[in-house]
């Protein structure tokens, strides 16, 4: 199957899954979820949905359990909304890239603050 078609299907699935989670899931455990990307196999039989979850540890665990329990519903909705020969088998993967980027941002700000404090000390000594 052409890579261009797989990429188009991945983007369409990302949009549809985001909309399903936002508007149609009624599970109270599911809080703030962002679908960051979708990776499909070349034959479109399997799809990994990368999600980023916000909240404390307990909220993240509850949200993760809610998402995994709703996989069947999401798969059925995807099959209804996107016309494919086979509806892909869905799995969720936790995307830690946003947490990692926030950590890097904190480190950069700390380095900048340390440098500013170091320059202030040097000027005081002169």
């Amino acid at each position: 199957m052409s890579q261009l078609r797989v990429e188009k299907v991945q983007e369409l699935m990302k949009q549809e899954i985001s909309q399903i989670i936002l508007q149609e899931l009624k599970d109270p455990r599911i809080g703030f979820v962002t679908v960051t990307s979708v990776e499909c196999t070349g034959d479109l039989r399997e799809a990994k949905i990368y999600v980023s979850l916000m909240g404390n540890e307990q909220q993240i665990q509850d949200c993760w359990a809610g998402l995994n329990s709703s996989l069947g519903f999401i798969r059925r909705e995807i099959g209804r909304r996107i016309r494919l020969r086979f509806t892909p088998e869905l799995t969720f993967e936790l995307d830690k890239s946003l947490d990692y980027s926030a950590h890097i941002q904190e480190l950069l700000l700390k380095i900048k603050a340390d440098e500013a404090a170091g320059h202030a000390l040097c000027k005081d000594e002169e």
Side-chain angles (χ1 to χ4, degrees), residues 10-35:
Q10 287 176 166
E11 187 60 34
L12 182 60
M13 284 181 65
K14 177 182 166 186
Q15 292 172 0
E16 292 295 332
I17 291 169
S18 296
Q19 188 176 22
I20 291 168
I21 290 172
L22 182 65
Q23 296 176 350
E24 305 208 11
L25 290 183
K26 304 296 184 211
D27 194 332
R29 297 177 292 179
I30 298 174
F32 188 72
V33 178
T34 304
V35 178

Side-chain angles (χ1 to χ4, degrees), residues 116-126:
H119 288 298
L121 287 175
C122 291
K123 288 183 180 183
D124 290 340
E125 291 176 359
E126 294 174 357

Side-chain angles (χ1 to χ4, degrees), residues 3-18 35-40 44 78 82:
Q3 186 62 27
L4 181 62
R5 180 166 188 259
V6 171
E7 289 174 7
K8 286 181 179 180
V9 169
Q10 287 176 166
E11 187 60 34
L12 182 60
M13 284 181 65
K14 177 182 166 186
Q15 292 172 0
E16 292 295 332
I17 291 169
S18 296
V35 178
T36 56
S37 67
V38 175
E39 283 185 7
C40 294
L44 298 176
I78 289 295
I82 302 174

Side-chain angles (χ1 to χ4, degrees), residues 102-116:
H103 175 70
I104 296 297
Q105 182 68 26
E106 288 175 20
L107 292 175
L108 291 172
L109 290 173
K110 183 178 177 185
I111 289 170
K112 187 175 181 180
D114 289 347
E115 285 178 355

Side-chain angles (χ1 to χ4, degrees), residues 21-90:
I21 290 172
L22 182 65
Q23 296 176 350
E24 305 208 11
L25 290 183
K26 304 296 184 211
D27 194 332
R29 297 177 292 179
I30 298 174
F32 188 72
V33 178
T34 304
V35 178
T36 56
S37 67
V38 175
E39 283 185 7
C40 294
T41 56
D43 60 357
L44 298 176
R45 294 283 185 131
E46 297 176 12
K48 285 184 185 178
I49 306 162
Y50 290 92
V51 294
S52 178
L53 308 176
M54 297 294 174
N56 62 35
E57 282 299 318
Q58 185 61 43
Q59 290 171 332
I60 289 175
Q61 288 176 357
D62 291 344
C63 186
W64 187 253
L67 283 174
N68 282 314
S69 69
S70 66
L71 272 173
F73 174 77
I74 294 171
R75 183 173 186 225
R76 185 178 72 227
E77 285 296 310
I78 289 295
R80 198 170 56 81
R81 294 177 185 204
I82 302 174
R83 292 289 176 201
L84 295 171
R85 182 172 289 158
F86 300 102
T87 303
E89 192 66 41
L90 304 177

